[in-house]
Amino acid sequence: MFSSHRYKPLLYLNLNLLFRRTPPTPLMFCTSQSHSSTVSYLINNLAFTPQAALTLTTSKRFCFNDPHKADTVLVLFKTHGFSNSQIATIVTKLPAILASNPQRMLPKFQFLASKGASTHDIVLLTTRHPKFLHSSLKNRIIPTYGLLKALFRSDEKALSCIVSCPASLMDSRLPKNIKLLADAGVSDSAIYHLCRTRTSVLMSSDLGKPVDEVKKLGFDPSLVKFAIALQAIRTLPKSLWDAKVDVLKRWGWSEETLSEAFRRNPLYMLSSKDKLNEVMKLWVNQLGWNPLALARMPWLFGCNLERRIIPRAFVLQHLLAKGLIKKNDNWGTPFLIPEDMFLKKFVECFTEEKSQPSEDDRMIFKNETLDLDKLKQEIINLVTNGVRSGI
């Protein structure tokens, strides 16, 4: 699978396809007078700079003669909790909204509010994707919402999906792909994960092939991990997928190792190829540890390199060099536990006031003591030098 990834890239949201069923807004012929009045309106009512107003009206070829309709649109937005800056953002994305009929937009706000959407939800949804206001309430918004509500059996979850990706209200592929996943045995929780994190997967074409491939890899459709694997396979272009595979192979990973790591945690393939390489470089070149060990804990590639991996790795290396901890091929726990627990188990247990170690500590540490201040200073020096050396 790692040498035969053939799926076309998802450009997160393919706008040409996404809006292909949305009728284009008619462009009016702009006279110099109407253009000038539109520019002035944007400056005076929405705090546009002269340059921004001029650029918007010119690039979008939008202007109006009568500001009355624009005034009613602004009133609608302001009475529903939108600030001037939020309205300006909407107008920048969709200038034609100023020529829209507020009576056709209002029912969409009312529908969402009736389902429990807060003012914040409606503002966020509209600011992110104002084109949903041009969708049919009866033929698109209500049916899509009904599908999500029936699937998740919760208004709250249905709304969270819509707010996360308002474009889902406009794409006919979403209900088809949700049905495809449900028929394939994918759990509601896995579908919900995709709705919340990468709705573009649910709005893609030909989703059946990657679903079959994820199944062949042995992922259980009832688990969220299935959705994560599908997300990785479906969203990565072949060229980028192959580039990441090549990086890991250069560090000694085989096809089998790559597959094993993917089954453990598919998210590692969503790390950048530079991040994969930097973690490997630290792990192998600077620390001298086995690169294959990372296949048993591929989630480590998703950790912050500067704030978590480098400092903790140098603490472990320092303690190993002083003979204070035992060699262990599985270093997953020290990188996974919270910071306070890490300090307790890997630093504070070496204070001179430390009493006899507990049985848990005895499993990891030798019964030795070390000056805490001295250890901390040595660790700081090591970490600082490591960061400066470009690890």
Side-chain angles (χ1 to χ4, degrees):
M1 186 272 286
F2 282 83
S3 60
S4 61
H5 182 60
R6 290 293 181 271
Y7 295 107
K8 294 169 67 176
L10 279 176
L11 301 180
Y12 190 61
L13 289 178
N14 186 325
L15 299 182
N16 289 329
L17 289 175
L18 184 60
F19 303 127
R20 62 186 176 185
R21 294 176 180 84
T22 302
T25 302
L27 299 175
M28 67 169 289
F29 177 75
C30 292
T31 64
S32 58
Q33 181 179 355
S34 62
H35 183 264
S36 176
S37 63
T38 303
V39 169
S40 297
Y41 187 91
L42 295 175
I43 294 170
N44 297 330
N45 292 277
L46 293 171
F48 274 70
T49 65
Q51 183 59 45
L54 183 62
T55 300
L56 180 65
T57 54
T58 302
S59 63
K60 299 295 179 70
R61 292 181 290 167
F62 175 79
C63 55
F64 50 78
N65 292 311
D66 181 7
H68 175 70
K69 182 173 285 188
D71 288 340
T72 60
V73 171
L74 296 189
V75 169
L76 173 70
F77 282 134
K78 289 180 179 180
T79 55
H80 283 80
F82 291 78
S83 66
N84 279 346
S85 62
Q86 290 165 337
I87 299 172
T89 298
I90 293 169
V91 172
T92 300
K93 292 180 178 180
L94 188 65
I97 200 73
L98 291 176
S100 300
N101 184 351
Q103 296 306 313
R104 294 179 64 85
M105 295 191 288
L106 178 60
K108 292 156 190 174
F109 291 162
Q110 293 172 332
F111 172 76
L112 293 171
S114 72
K115 301 303 179 183
S118 65
T119 297
H120 174 75
D121 291 335
I122 294 173
V123 170
L124 184 61
L125 188 159
T126 309
T127 306
R128 283 178 173 174
H129 198 75
K131 282 196 174 184
F132 98 91
L133 291 173
H134 286 169
S135 293
S136 169
L137 178 63
K138 178 181 178 181
N139 298 326
R140 183 71 72 194
I141 295 176
I142 291 177
T144 300
Y145 183 88
L147 172 70
L148 295 173
K149 169 70 181 296
L151 180 67
F152 304 129
R153 295 179 291 278
S154 164
D155 282 312
E156 182 179 358
K157 288 186 175 181
L159 284 170
S160 69
C161 287
I162 291 171
V163 173
S164 297
C165 185
S168 61
L169 290 172
M170 302 176 61
D171 198 289
S172 62
R173 290 166 295 183
L174 180 77
K176 295 177 182 177
N177 283 332
I178 286 179
K179 183 178 186 304
L180 183 152
L181 292 173
D183 290 345
V186 180
S187 66
D188 293 352
S189 59
I191 298 174
Y192 180 66
H193 174 82
L194 288 173
C195 282
R196 292 284 289 120
T197 62
R198 194 59 67 93
T199 316
S200 56
V201 172
L202 297 176
M203 296 188 294
S204 61
S205 302
D206 198 20
L207 191 60
K209 290 182 180 179
V211 168
D212 290 340
E213 183 165 352
V214 173
K215 280 187 171 183
K216 289 177 182 177
L217 287 171
F219 287 92
D220 185 347
S222 68
L223 302 178
V224 172
K225 188 182 286 189
F226 185 95
I228 298 172
L230 180 62
Q231 174 183 341
I233 289 176
R234 192 66 187 89
T235 58
L236 285 178
K238 179 185 182 303
S239 59
L240 184 54
W241 181 280
D242 291 345
K244 294 180 181 184
V245 168
D246 289 342
V247 165
L248 294 170
K249 283 186 174 181
R250 285 199 297 270
W251 290 103
W253 282 26
S254 64
E255 288 282 331
E256 183 179 352
T257 305
L258 288 159
S259 296
E260 174 194 345
F262 191 74
R263 284 190 291 270
R264 287 178 180 271
N265 192 322
L267 277 176
Y268 88 89
M269 282 300 286
L270 295 177
S271 300
S272 71
K273 65 185 183 68
D274 289 339
K275 175 71 174 295
L276 296 174
N277 193 55
E278 289 301 308
V279 172
M280 280 293 193
K281 185 163 65 173
L282 169 72
W283 194 266
V284 178
N285 292 349
Q286 300 295 327
L287 301 174
W289 296 344
N290 186 354
L292 298 182
L294 286 172
R296 295 192 290 274
M297 46 183 178
W299 49 263
L300 189 65
F301 289 110
C303 294
N304 187 282
L305 189 63
E306 288 77 17
R307 293 198 297 269
R308 177 171 292 232
I309 300 177
I310 290 176
R312 297 192 184 193
F314 272 102
V315 169
L316 296 174
Q317 186 189 47
H318 190 62
L319 296 178
L320 276 170
K322 289 186 172 291
L324 296 171
I325 59 175
K326 297 178 181 180
K327 182 70 174 178
N328 190 336
D329 286 334
N330 183 11
W331 285 117
T333 300
F335 294 98
L336 185 62
I337 58 178
E339 183 178 356
D340 57 344
M341 189 178 297
F342 178 85
L343 290 173
K344 180 180 179 181
K345 294 185 70 66
F346 293 94
V347 177
E348 293 173 2
C349 62
F350 294 111
T351 60
E352 293 180 352
E353 295 80 10
K354 169 75 177 175
S355 59
Q356 194 72 9
S358 66
E359 287 300 316
D360 289 340
D361 288 339
R362 197 185 299 275
M363 297 291 291
I364 302 176
F365 302 104
K366 296 181 179 180
N367 185 15
E368 299 187 24
T369 61
L370 186 70
D371 181 86
L372 180 61
D373 292 335
K374 181 179 178 182
L375 175 63
K376 285 184 176 178
Q377 188 57 52
E378 290 175 340
I379 290 171
I380 290 172
N381 292 338
L382 281 169
V383 172
T384 301
N385 292 336
V387 172
R388 287 177 177 173
S389 66
I391 295 176

